[in-house]
Amino acid sequence: SLSDKEFFQAIADASGESAEQVEHEMEADVVVDWSLVDYLATLRGTYKTALLSNSSSEYLRNELKQHELEKYFDVIVISSEVGLIKPEPEVFEYIMQKLRVRPEECIFTDDNQRHIAAAEKLGIKSILFTGVSELKQQIEPRQMEIMAMREKIKEMDAELEKFHKSNAALDALIGDLRTKIDELQVSVKA
């Protein structure tokens, strides 16, 4: 785990700004977008959700707790806690491992084009965040796809169950036939 000082320096090195600038910008930019939080709450039934942040651990954990936001995420990955940072591919691989998902099962959104490009290189569907309504327009068709796939899986499960039942009946019939054959063989020998 990185200290806050090391964290801000790592961000500074990656962004070309000073560590002080990075810290100041992070603290000045925090405003909870409640419309995004509300939308995130609607996604929880369809998607596993995660927060991947390059923010300071201490600062972000305090904000999440103060605004009771932890409950909206299955996984929270903060760069300074894991020693990985966006846009490094390893941080995306780490969070996918935590979520137990593959790249093609993910949707990543961020307001930084470099982070979007890095996720896309790994095969992750990525959306540049410009606002909640735009995000909904991008995600909702994918939600319909997912719901259709889930319905198809239910149908396939039902067919598989029928197959297993008929297979079990067939196994029982074969077992009965084998028993009768064994009985016939015994009676023929006698």
Side-chain angles (χ1 to χ4, degrees), residues 129-147:
F129 184 80
T130 57
V132 177
S133 60
E134 293 82 4
L135 183 63
K136 285 180 182 180
Q137 288 174 1
Q138 294 285 319
I139 289 179
E140 285 174 3
R142 180 83 182 230
Q143 277 183 289
M144 298 305 283
E145 247 179 76
I146 288 169
M147 288 191 289

Side-chain angles (χ1 to χ4, degrees), residues 85-92 108 112-124 126:
I85 188 170
K86 295 181 288 184
E88 295 172 354
E90 294 83 5
V91 76
F92 296 105
F108 172 71
N112 184 311
Q113 186 59 48
R114 286 181 53 219
H115 300 166
I116 294 294
E120 286 177 340
K121 282 182 184 177
L122 294 173
I124 298 170
S126 301

Side-chain angles (χ1 to χ4, degrees), residues 68 93 115:
E68 299 179 2
E93 291 163 357
H115 300 166

Side-chain angles (χ1 to χ4, degrees), residues 5 26 30 36 52 58 65 82 86 160 182 185 190:
K5 183 178 179 179
M26 283 187 168
V30 175
L36 179 58
L52 173 57
E58 182 180 329
K65 187 173 187 163
V82 298
K86 295 181 288 184
L160 189 57
D182 290 344
Q185 286 177 338

Side-chain angles (χ1 to χ4, degrees), residues 39-49 72 74 143 146-147 150:
Y39 183 55
L40 184 60
T42 69
L43 297 176
R44 296 271 298 150
T46 305
Y47 296 101
K48 294 178 183 179
T49 57
Y72 296 102
D74 296 295
Q143 277 183 289
I146 288 169
M147 288 191 289
R150 285 185 176 163

